[in-house]
Amino acid sequence: MNLTHHFLIATPNLADSLFSGSVVYVCEHNENGAMGIIINKPSPIGMEVVFASSGNRIPERFIDHFVMMGGPVQVDRGFVVHTPIGNWQSTLSITDDTAISTSRDVIESLAKDERINKAILSIGYSSWTKGQLEREIAENAWLVAPADSHILFDTPIEEKHGAALSKLGINAVNLMNGVGYA
């Protein structure tokens, strides 16, 4: 199973407060584990802070946008999921046109040119050790859906969870906590 470029959608069985109601974009999944970014949990940090800290004005396309709480790992570090991939100092390709970068040159480019069409910034990321994600899926903590760039980059934050569920034909009101028996 390779869930790279998929969404993990938290079910009501997932009691962890950070992950409750979250949608995680899986950036890498292999035999050693998985890594992803929560795409629907905004931090209190507005994008204007990111650009101001690099000495740049915020581009109009990022006004009123927030940095996401990507997960509980390395919360002191920034991550940028973006399209197209480009040529940056520290980048992991996810698909032929989507990547995740951690280098400052990506932020500079976002501020100064249009080489990056779309981007989500996060502080921290989510990770799972070998076999952990597979166990959590088997325990009904996560639903899995193919990723969709429209949901990833263009859907408003408050609609991402419902939009990801709709890819599976599920309405959020139909999800229940627990297991039933007949």
Side-chain angles (χ1 to χ4, degrees):
M1 174 185 339
N2 184 341
L3 299 178
T4 300
H5 190 61
H6 281 75
F7 292 135
L8 301 176
I9 308 160
T11 69
N13 292 338
L14 190 55
D16 183 290
S17 62
L18 177 64
F19 289 108
S20 177
S22 67
V23 177
V24 177
Y25 178 60
V26 180
C27 301
E28 183 176 42
H29 184 223
N30 58 38
E31 65 279 353
N32 298 316
M35 177 269 181
I37 300 291
I38 299 172
I39 63 168
N40 67 329
K41 299 278 179 137
S43 77
I45 302 169
M47 293 289 284
E48 68 279 355
V49 173
V50 172
F51 290 103
S53 70
S54 65
N56 294 295
R57 290 183 43 163
I58 184 170
E60 187 174 321
R61 63 188 172 145
F62 292 112
I63 292 174
D64 296 328
H65 287 224
F66 288 87
V67 175
M68 295 294 109
M69 291 294 300
V73 181
Q74 289 191 346
V75 294
D76 59 338
R77 190 164 184 193
F79 298 84
V80 182
V81 176
H82 57 87
T83 184
I85 293 173
N87 186 18
W88 312 105
Q89 291 174 6
S90 180
T91 299
L92 170 69
S93 295
I94 302 167
T95 68
D96 289 341
D97 65 345
T98 305
I100 185 167
S101 297
T102 58
S103 54
R104 192 161 192 84
D105 60 340
V106 171
I107 300 296
E108 294 293 326
S109 179
L110 286 172
K112 294 181 178 172
D113 61 43
E114 298 289 327
R115 287 187 290 167
I116 295 177
N117 295 333
K118 297 179 182 184
I120 294 175
L121 279 70
S122 79
I123 50 174
Y125 68 93
S126 303
S127 89
W128 294 263
T129 59
K130 180 179 183 174
Q132 180 184 2
L133 179 57
E134 292 82 354
R135 282 189 305 279
E136 290 181 12
I137 292 169
E139 294 167 356
N140 294 319
W142 300 102
L143 297 173
V144 178
D148 175 303
S149 64
H150 177 71
I151 295 171
L152 181 62
F153 294 113
D154 300 321
T155 301
I157 294 168
E158 64 277 2
E159 296 175 18
K160 288 181 189 268
H161 189 263
L165 282 172
S166 72
K167 290 193 62 69
L168 299 173
I170 298 172
N171 187 320
V173 298
N174 296 331
L175 289 178
M176 295 175 49
N177 192 5
V179 177
Y181 298 94

